[in-house]
Structure formats: C-alpha cells, structure tokens
C-alpha cells in the first residue's frame, strides 16, 4: 500500500514538473515570437539598459570567500535571467540554488552616451576619422614628430592634470602641419574612451555664427565656457594683405572678437577647465593681440606647447606627396 502511494506521489510530481517545463517552454516561445516582431535598438538588453543575471549559490559563496564583488564574475559564472525563467538553467526543484540576481549595465548605454557626446561636440563625420593612428609622421621634420608626441603625452596625462592650472595644450604655427588633426585626435579619444564632453569651436566660422545669431550669443558663449574640454581651432586665424612694405599677416582679431574669446578663456582659466588651442600665430603674436588673454593661454598651455616654424614645403602636409 505504501509502495503504491509512493509511486503515485512520484508520478504526480513528475507530471507537475513536466507541466511546469512545458508551460515555461511555451512562454519562452511566445516571448521569442513577440520579440521577433518588436524592433530594438539593442537586441542584447531589449533597450532596457541593463541585463539581469542569476548566479549559483556555490559561486556566491566562493565570491565571499575570495572577497570579490559581482563585477569580477566571468561570463560563464552567470546565466541570464530570461534563460533562468524559461527553465533552461535548471529544473524547478533546483531553482532556489539560483536565487541571487545581479544587474549589469548593458554596453549599449555607453555606446549611446558616446554617440550623444560626439553629436554634441560639433565634430563632423570626417573629423571623427582623425586619430593618432592615421597621423603621418614618418619622413616628416622633427617639429611635426614633436607635435605628435606632445599630443599623445597630453592625452595620456589628461586625467592627472585636468584640475591643474597648466591643463591645456597649444599647437601653434605653420598651417597644414597637422595641428587640427592632432587636437581632434585628443578630442576623439577623450569622448570615446573616457566619455568626456568636448566642444569643437572653429574660430572663423564660429565667430561668424556668434555675430549672426546675436540673440543666442550669451547662450553659446556659456556653453563654450562650461564644456568639460573646449577646442578652439585656428584662433585669430590671420589674413594676408599686400602693402607698400610687402605682404603682411594680419590676425582676425577685432575688439569684439577679442572680447568674446576673452570672456570664454577667463572663465576657463579661473575654473581650471582645459583648452585645446590651434593657431597659425605663435605665443608672441598672441601676446601682441592682447597680453592678458595671451598670457592666460600661455600659462594654461605652458607644459604642452609646440611652435611649428620653418620651410613650409616640408611642414605643410598639403604641399607634399603624402596621400
């Protein structure tokens, strides 16, 4: 009699487990079909931004024993929550062994943040391709190599110097020597590898936009003041004029332009916010335009400044056969 009762209980339990597995499988199939119809930007987390995992009780005990955190778990030590709920991990009688959950941010969150930062930076798709790895320095004069090494060193040092007085970089002198390429490479790396908001400001076009959109002048200047990193490209880019004395270089530096740049640089100087500066002018020429402004830029960039001067046929990349 007892044997029959035991057999009946085993059969009933087996039937229950089978029913649970079938129901879980049906639910999983229905969910999969539903997800096939849905369109997700991220198929990994289904646009939730997080992925929930389960870990086995033995793994949890080992973590505590080794004084390690959940973040140290290897992929094969975790199972996804949806697999657990679908019955792919264990039978119902073993479910309690997987009771601990662990949430992890999906990689798509970082990718989306970087995409937002790139869009907000003002960098074009073409500029996004400017990297240290595709900067041509072989066969170039030592000054070009110095500029490259200075830019790489600045990027490597950035986190340790960003709050210092001298936390900025200036590449000055010869047009076409790669100043914009190297400073843009710094920006691209700061955004993509460190998720730091950088703003690109092309001096000539940017000053025109500021003057043409006067109602938004203060808003735009404020954005330049407060960006984590600001890159001013071709600061005071000169125009050339022919006079009785010959051909002279005249910086684009009206009183109004100096005033706007000064308001931005002063704020960043006082608040220790990094600047990336490229200009065809050297330090002395920047000081001649406005000594207070030039001396602040010099002090901010003094540890990372390269002045490129010499034979333009060798220094100007666009004049050589480098393609």
């Amino acid at each position: 009699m007892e044997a029959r009762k035991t057999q009946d209980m085993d059969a009933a339990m087996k039937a229950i487990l089978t029913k649970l597995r079938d129901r879980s499988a049906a639910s999983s199939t229905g969910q999969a079909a539903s997800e096939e119809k849905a369109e997700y930007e991220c198929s990994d987390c289904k646009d939730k931004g997080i992925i929930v995992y389960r870990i086995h009780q033995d793994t949890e005990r080992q973590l505590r024993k080794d004084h390690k955190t959940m973040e140290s778990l290897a992929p094969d030590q975790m199972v996804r929550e949806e697999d657990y709920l679908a019955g792919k991990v264990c039978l119902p009688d073993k479910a309690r062994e997987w009771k601990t959950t662990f949430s992890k941010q999906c990689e798509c969150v970082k990718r989306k943040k970087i995409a937002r930062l790139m869009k907000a930076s003002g960098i074009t798709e073409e500029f996004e391709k400017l990297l240290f790895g595709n900067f041509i320095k072989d066969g170039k004069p030592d000054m070009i190599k110095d500029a490259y090494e200075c830019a790489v060193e600045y990027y490597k040092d950035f986190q340790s110097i960003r709050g210092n007085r001298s936390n900025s970089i200036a590449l000055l002198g010869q047009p076409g020597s790669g100043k914009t390429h190297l400073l843009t490479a710094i920006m691209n790396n700061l955004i993509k590898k460190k998720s730091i908001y950088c703003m690109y400001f092309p001096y000539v076009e940017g000053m025109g936009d500021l003057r043409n959109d006067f109602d938004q002048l203060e808003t735009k200047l404020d954005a330049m003041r407060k960006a984590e990193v600001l890159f001013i490209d071709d600061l005071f880019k000169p125009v050339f004029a022919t006079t009785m004395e010959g051909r002279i270089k005249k910086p684009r530096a009206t009183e109004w332009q100096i005033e706007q740049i000064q308001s931005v640089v002063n704020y960043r100087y006082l608040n220790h916010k990094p600047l990336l500066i490229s200009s065809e002018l050297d330090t002395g020429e920047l000081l001649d335009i406005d000594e207070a402004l030039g001396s602040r830029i010099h002090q901010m960039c003094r540890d990372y400044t390269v002045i490129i001067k010499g034979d333009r046929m060798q220094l100007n990349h666009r004049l050589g056969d480098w393609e």
Side-chain angles (χ1 to χ4, degrees):
M1 191 72 166
E2 287 296 323
R4 173 180 272 183
K5 188 180 289 185
T6 301
Q7 288 175 353
D8 289 344
M9 288 180 65
D10 288 345
M13 180 60 72
K14 187 175 182 180
I16 291 171
L17 292 175
T18 301
K19 188 175 181 179
L20 285 171
R21 285 198 299 270
D22 292 345
R23 183 184 297 171
S24 178
S27 173
S28 178
T29 301
Q31 183 180 357
S34 173
E35 289 177 354
E36 281 181 8
K37 294 177 183 178
E39 291 185 5
Y40 297 104
E41 287 185 35
C42 179
S43 58
D44 207 23
C45 71
K46 309 297 187 296
D47 296 343
K48 295 174 184 175
I50 61 168
I51 300 174
V52 181
Y53 295 95
R54 295 261 177 170
I55 63 172
H56 193 267
Q57 60 188 16
D58 292 345
T59 303
E60 187 177 9
R61 289 193 196 101
Q62 191 62 45
L63 281 175
R64 286 200 296 267
K65 182 180 178 181
D66 297 339
H67 304 290
K68 292 182 178 179
T69 63
M70 299 284 193
E71 284 74 14
S72 66
L73 288 168
D76 60 357
Q77 293 177 292
M78 307 178 287
V79 297
R80 294 182 69 120
E81 174 81 343
E82 59 261 37
D83 291 340
Y84 168 80
L85 295 176
K88 298 178 181 179
V89 176
C90 64
L91 294 174
D93 60 325
K94 300 288 186 182
R96 286 188 58 79
E97 296 179 11
W98 295 85
K99 65 180 180 180
T100 301
T101 59
F102 167 55
S103 298
K104 193 174 182 181
Q105 188 181 75
C106 183
E107 282 297 309
C108 74
V109 175
K110 185 177 180 180
R111 290 197 302 270
K112 288 175 182 176
K113 181 179 181 181
I114 290 172
R116 289 195 300 271
L117 290 173
M118 289 301 300
K119 185 176 181 180
S121 71
I123 295 177
T124 63
E125 288 186 16
E126 195 64 30
F127 270 31
E128 196 175 343
K129 300 173 186 175
L130 300 178
L131 306 169
F132 291 130
N134 56 25
F135 181 82
I136 298 173
K137 59 185 186 296
D138 292 341
K140 296 284 188 74
D142 287 344
M143 276 183 283
I144 303 298
K145 296 175 183 177
D146 290 344
Y148 172 84
E149 289 168 5
C150 180
V152 171
E153 183 181 0
Y154 177 80
Y155 170 69
K156 289 179 178 177
D157 295 345
F158 181 82
Q159 293 288 32
S160 61
I161 66 167
R162 64 184 299 183
N164 299 347
R165 168 65 68 217
S166 299
N167 60 4
S168 303
I169 180 171
L171 301 182
L172 310 174
Q174 179 63 49
S177 57
K179 303 185 301 295
T180 296
H181 184 138
L182 290 171
L183 296 179
T184 304
I186 293 173
M187 275 189 69
N188 282 325
N189 276 283
L190 290 176
I191 293 171
K192 294 180 179 180
K193 295 182 180 178
K194 301 186 184 296
S195 296
I196 292 173
Y197 171 52
C198 303
M199 182 178 180
Y200 174 69
F201 183 78
Y203 177 77
V204 177
E205 299 90 337
M207 294 307 293
D209 289 342
L210 290 178
R211 184 175 284 282
N212 293 336
D213 193 4
F214 205 76
D215 291 341
Q216 292 296 311
L217 175 64
E218 192 55 36
T219 300
K220 291 180 178 180
L221 288 175
D222 199 51
M224 293 171 65
R225 294 182 191 113
K226 295 179 180 177
E228 289 184 78
V229 176
L230 176 65
F231 174 15
I232 303 179
D233 193 16
D234 267 335
L235 177 63
F236 300 132
K237 183 177 176 64
V239 291
F240 290 87
T242 302
T243 66
M244 295 291 291
E245 290 78 23
R247 194 166 179 263
I248 61 169
K249 181 169 67 174
K250 184 179 180 182
R252 286 183 174 90
T254 66
E255 186 176 339
W256 182 84
Q257 289 171 327
I258 295 170
E259 183 182 332
Q260 308 319 311
I261 293 297
Q262 204 163 37
S263 75
V264 170
V265 172
N266 284 351
Y267 181 92
R268 301 190 69 84
Y269 175 86
L270 294 172
N271 290 279
H272 292 203
K273 287 184 166 292
L275 275 171
L276 315 180
I277 299 284
S278 80
S279 178
E280 293 176 23
L281 308 178
D282 61 24
T283 303
E285 290 169 319
L286 291 174
L287 289 168
D288 288 342
I289 290 171
D290 187 282
E291 189 163 336
L293 173 61
S295 60
R296 278 175 170 77
I297 291 173
H298 172 70
Q299 189 176 8
M300 293 174 75
C301 302
R302 65 170 48 178
D303 293 337
Y304 303 90
T305 294
V306 176
I307 299 174
I308 305 169
K309 284 191 172 182
D311 184 351
R312 64 183 177 187
M313 298 304 295
Q314 293 184 33
L315 295 173
N316 189 330
H317 180 86
R318 292 186 287 269
L319 296 176
D321 185 18
W322 302 99
E323 301 302 329

